[in-house]
Amino acid sequence: MSTPPGTHHTHPDPRHLIAVVVLVPLLAALALWAFAWPAARTAPRDLPLGVAGPAAATAQVEQRLARQQGAFEIHRYADEAAARQAIEDRTVYGAVVVTDQGPALLTASAASPTVAQLLQQALAAEGAQPRTVDVVAAPENDPRGAALTASVLPLALAGIAAGAAVSLFGLRGVRAVTALVGASALVGVTAAAIAHSWLEVLTGDWWAEAATLGLSTLAVSSAVAGLAALMGRAGLGLGAGVLMLLGNPFSGAGSAPQMLPEPAGALGQWLPPGAGTTLLRSVSYFDGAAALGPAMTLTWWVVVGLGAVLLGGALKSRTATSGESAADRRPALAG
């Protein structure tokens, strides 16, 4: 059967086949490394822990803790009241208090149920059986922190979706910024309504929690939209990939940043999911203690991301204007 004139057969580019065969396993390996490596290497690394009481009495406790080399960063306090205050200020995750009635372990399951359990096991392994006091307890409806941990991925996905939508719909400049801010604000209000009002797993100030959830979403969406505005689809993929493959597993939401292998723990706190989780714990369970650092991190992402959105929109507008001017000049030159 003859081929009609003007008909062209298109053959698949073999490079596309090679790209699929090679890139998919690489992405799978990267995702497995990012999620499985921190989980498999979870252990305390310079975890802030307080020791309170007379120096002579606490010396033996410090020696026992020092046997676990590099596990704890010891902070010394004069008495139980000072140790409690340090826990409430989020300076330490817990404290061992030496009293006349025997040792006591102060924990804060609201900061990390995993760390609170680990401290009990660490002292039990050393032969100590102290009475345990949960200074800042996790909410009754989320004693293991599972709901808070589960919120990291949906917020990241919402931010990525908002940034991608702004890019794919062709929104630029002020319109893009307005869309990102509006969508993030609605996400924050909706998430607070679900987590605080319905599930009751957040127990702090409602509006502070909504603002934190919205700011976390805006940090992600502005980063994705900003990269897309400057780099196109490549920037969109880069932003989504980094925030999903690194931001989520490196956030330390399920344990604590000091429980992750380095540099995952430190890097995660510089990314929006990790900073957002830390800020949410502070405003929900600790009356805003130690909230300044993660709040500034999220604000930095928002400012840089929205700045990139405005810059990318201005550059595209200038390019379009230059193209129209050149098209207008061509007939005159031809004449």
Side-chain angles (χ1 to χ4, degrees), residues 96-207:
V96 180
V97 182
V98 180
T99 66
D100 296 335
Q101 292 76 28
L105 174 62
L106 307 182
T107 62
S109 58
S112 173
T114 301
V115 171
Q117 184 179 8
L118 178 141
L119 293 177
Q120 297 179 41
Q121 294 173 349
L123 292 181
E126 294 295 334
Q129 297 294 334
R131 61 183 178 89
T132 302
V133 180
D134 200 346
V135 177
V136 185
E140 294 181 1
N141 290 337
D142 191 24
R144 294 184 176 86
L148 187 141
T149 302
S151 68
V152 177
L153 181 58
L155 289 176
L157 288 175
I160 292 172
V166 164
S167 175
L168 297 176
F169 290 161
L171 298 179
R172 299 179 185 174
V174 176
R175 289 186 177 182
V177 171
T178 302
L180 292 171
V181 173
S184 299
L186 288 177
V187 169
V189 171
T190 303
I194 294 174
H196 185 119
S197 304
W198 178 37
L199 298 177
E200 297 181 351
V201 297
L202 300 179
T203 58
D205 181 79
W206 195 95
W207 287 107

Side-chain angles (χ1 to χ4, degrees), residues 45-50 71-75 77 90-95 115 119 258:
R45 296 170 177 83
D46 292 328
L47 186 76
L49 177 65
F72 301 107
E73 179 186 277
I74 303 300
H75 296 246
Y77 300 101
R90 302 205 70 184
T91 303
V92 294
Y93 282 90
V115 171
L119 293 177
Q258 295 85 357

Side-chain angles (χ1 to χ4, degrees), residues 257-286:
Q258 295 85 357
M259 295 286 290
L260 302 181
E262 291 298 339
L267 178 61
Q269 294 305 296
W270 283 103
L271 295 173
T277 302
T278 301
L279 180 59
L280 185 60
R281 287 188 186 277
S282 292
V283 301
S284 183
Y285 308 136
F286 292 87

